[in-house]
Amino acid sequence: QVQLVESGGGLVQAGDSLRLSCAASGRTFNDYTVAWFRQAPGKERELVAAITITWSGGTAYYADSVKGRVTISRDNAKKTVYLQMNSLKPEDTAVYCCAARPAGVHNYDYWGQGTQVTVSS
């Protein structure tokens, strides 16, 4: 069982940066894919970034809408995955959730409660 808790959201101005954290309890993220999703009011949930974590490292995926502005990373010792977001835009405003699934499993089985990111213009 994996429990996820996000933190780091807030209200910022356009051009600012934020770092979101997704902390796991229950086990480490090794051999898991951990992703950040976001959902804005009236819009579908969007996959922002994902990282597949193995003993030898991790491979990352980024949505085109955030590529070049966002970095996903992990700290194995802290069992935490981070989402560093730079040059934030008003259209980045959304609830951001992290989710995890075992490598090779299609569906994300574990979800956090979400953290609000609001970017003012």
Side-chain angles (χ1 to χ4, degrees), residues 2 4 22 29 32-35 37 98-102 107-112:
V2 177
L4 305 176
C22 174
F29 280 137
Y32 269 67
T33 294
V34 180
F37 291 83
C98 66
R101 58 177 173 83
N107 294 324
Y108 285 91
D109 292 331
Y110 307 103
W111 292 82

Side-chain angles (χ1 to χ4, degrees), residues 9-22:
L11 172 62
V12 298
Q13 293 185 333
D16 285 352
S17 298
L18 273 179
R19 188 178 77 162
L20 306 183
S21 299
C22 174

Side-chain angles (χ1 to χ4, degrees), residues 14-68:
D16 285 352
S17 298
L18 273 179
R19 188 178 77 162
L20 306 183
S21 299
C22 174
S25 63
R27 62 155 292 151
T28 67
F29 280 137
N30 286 316
D31 296 323
Y32 269 67
T33 294
V34 180
W36 284 95
F37 291 83
R38 67 184 181 186
Q39 188 164 21
K43 294 188 177 181
E44 293 188 356
R45 186 170 61 197
E46 176 188 16
L47 174 61
V48 176
I51 184 167
T52 297
I53 300 168
T54 65
W55 289 104
S56 60
T59 56
Y61 159 86
Y62 298 99
D64 288 341
S65 58
V66 300
K67 201 171 291 184

